[in-house]
Amino acid sequence: RRTAMLAHTQLTAACLALATALTLAPCAGFTHVHAPTRVRVSAASSWSGSAVSMMADQSPRNPLARFVARFTGGGNSVETATAPAPAPAPEVPAAESTSAVAVVEPPVEEAEEEVEPPPPAPEPLFLAADAMHEEFVVKPLYDKLEEAAKERTDLGAELLWRRARCHYEMATQARSPAEQKALAQKGLQLAKQALAADPENGYAHKWVGILLGRVASFLPPNLKMANAFIIRERLDEAVARLPEDASVHLALGEWCAKVASLNLVERFFSSVVFGEPPSTTFDEALVHYRRAWELRPSRYLADKGAEVASRAESVSEQEVSEWKQRRIDTPPGPRDMVGATLREMSVI
């Protein structure tokens, strides 16, 4: 009887231990025990009210030990002696607030400086033509440019105004008035084509103005006066673009001197036809002669300066004497012929 009661007590304690393990131990905590351990189970006997303690050998031969070990992974009422658990991994500090993180901006790349392309190389034809023009080699230059016009179609306004200039100089050497007129008219046509091809070309403006004056010498008086306004407009455009060109200032001086020399009959005729004649003075003509002298002195320019200075109102006697002395000291040169042809510019 005593043996039966002891067995009943052991069975009741095992059941209590099993119930406690299933209630308190989470399912995730179940572990399978391989090594032999010793389990201590404490329970209260429901029928006797006294504490029952049981020490069970946890060897594999004990069925009860295997049953309890399978379902007890730890809890308030079960103590399990197992191998020590691995040390927890060190905690990584949480990242600081993004507001405290310094923002590193990428370096700003400096913009590369734009390198202007080098200017195009001068056209050899134009270099040769300008050198021949300076030496006043007219007929060979005329033939050279006319031949280039047949072979080259890519030279545009630069070739056109040089051809117009050469026609002007050929007209000054022509003997018959008909040939002079034909060359001057052809030169004017070429200068207008150059101006249409490049409206900002100062040389095109210049030679349109000069050739208009040359052609005007073959026109009736009413057309001459009409051309006078256009000549001044073209020369003003030219001097604005070519302020260092002596021949532009010389042509403007010639225009001012001719208009200032109009007599009363010519001014009356101009006022009847056009309402108002062109207006200028000898003083304005002398301003352009002075500038032309600074840029390129010549014997012809000294002659014109002395002539106009004696008729200007605001010129001192000393300046008049200086212009006369320049006429004596300056020997004639090949370019004086070009200046002399401007005498044939007609504005009336």
Side-chain angles (χ1 to χ4, degrees):
R1 182 180 180 86
R2 183 177 300 178
T3 302
M5 291 179 62
L6 180 60
H8 183 269
T9 302
Q10 290 180 350
L11 180 60
T12 302
C15 291
L16 290 174
L18 176 61
T20 304
L22 293 175
T23 303
L24 299 178
C27 295
F30 287 177
T31 59
H32 186 73
V33 180
H34 298 279
T37 60
R38 297 185 65 86
V39 179
R40 182 177 181 180
V41 180
S42 298
S45 177
S46 58
W47 57 272
S48 62
S50 60
V52 178
S53 298
M54 180 187 67
M55 295 295 295
D57 187 2
Q58 294 299 305
S59 65
R61 292 174 299 177
N62 192 335
L64 181 60
R66 291 199 305 270
F67 181 82
V68 173
R70 182 178 179 183
F71 293 97
T72 57
N76 292 342
S77 61
V78 179
E79 297 178 0
T80 305
T82 61
E91 294 184 359
V92 180
E96 297 181 1
S97 174
T98 56
S99 61
V101 178
V103 179
V104 180
E105 297 182 357
V108 179
E109 297 181 0
E110 297 183 359
E112 297 182 359
E113 296 183 359
E114 294 184 0
V115 179
E116 295 184 359
E123 172 62 40
L125 173 65
F126 298 154
L127 294 176
D130 294 342
M132 295 174 72
H133 170 72
E134 288 297 319
E135 296 297 328
F136 206 64
V137 182
V138 179
K139 186 61 170 67
L141 176 58
Y142 175 85
D143 295 337
K144 186 180 185 68
L145 293 179
E146 292 306 299
E147 185 67 22
K150 298 176 183 178
E151 300 175 354
R152 301 285 299 271
T153 59
D154 59 324
L155 299 178
E158 293 297 317
L159 178 60
L160 288 168
W161 71 256
R162 284 178 171 86
R163 291 177 63 198
R165 177 182 66 184
C166 196
H167 277 74
Y168 172 83
E169 295 180 345
M170 285 287 293
T172 64
Q173 295 185 350
R175 296 184 179 182
S176 66
E179 188 178 1
Q180 293 175 7
K181 180 180 179 180
L183 287 168
Q185 288 177 337
K186 178 61 176 178
L188 179 58
Q189 179 183 357
L190 291 170
K192 288 181 177 180
Q193 290 176 3
L195 187 58
D198 184 5
E200 296 301 319
N201 193 306
Y203 294 101
H205 286 279
K206 166 186 168 180
W207 287 106
V208 167
I210 292 176
L211 282 159
L212 272 174
R214 186 67 182 89
V215 170
S217 60
F218 304 102
L219 299 178
N222 60 329
L223 296 180
K224 290 180 181 180
M225 188 62 67
N227 276 344
F229 295 95
I230 304 174
I231 293 170
R232 178 60 189 263
E233 181 181 352
R234 294 301 103 214
L235 293 179
D236 283 342
E237 293 288 343
V239 79
R241 292 166 173 78
L242 306 171
E244 305 299 316
D245 191 306
S247 61
V248 176
H249 289 282
L250 179 59
L252 272 170
E254 290 288 272
W255 187 92
C256 292
K258 291 181 179 295
V259 172
S261 301
L262 294 177
N263 56 39
L264 293 177
V265 175
E266 293 166 339
R267 291 181 181 277
F268 175 77
F269 174 79
S270 176
S271 61
V272 171
V273 177
F274 300 101
E276 182 179 357
S279 178
T280 188
T281 62
F282 288 109
D283 292 273
E284 185 179 3
L286 192 59
V287 169
H288 291 290
Y289 284 149
R290 289 172 185 151
R291 182 57 179 153
W293 180 266
E294 293 174 0
L295 296 170
R296 178 181 286 185
S298 67
R299 175 65 177 274
Y300 173 78
L301 185 54
D303 291 341
K304 295 300 298 182
E307 178 184 341
V308 171
S310 62
R311 304 178 67 178
E313 297 180 357
S314 60
V315 178
S316 63
E317 291 295 331
Q318 180 181 356
E319 185 175 359
V320 175
S321 300
E322 289 176 357
W323 278 107
K324 291 179 179 180
Q325 189 62 39
R326 290 169 182 169
R327 178 191 295 176
I328 298 172
D329 297 339
T330 306
R335 301 308 304 164
D336 288 324
M337 178 61 69
V338 178
T341 59
L342 292 175
R343 295 173 188 251
E344 301 178 16
M345 282 182 56
S346 180
V347 296
I348 58 172

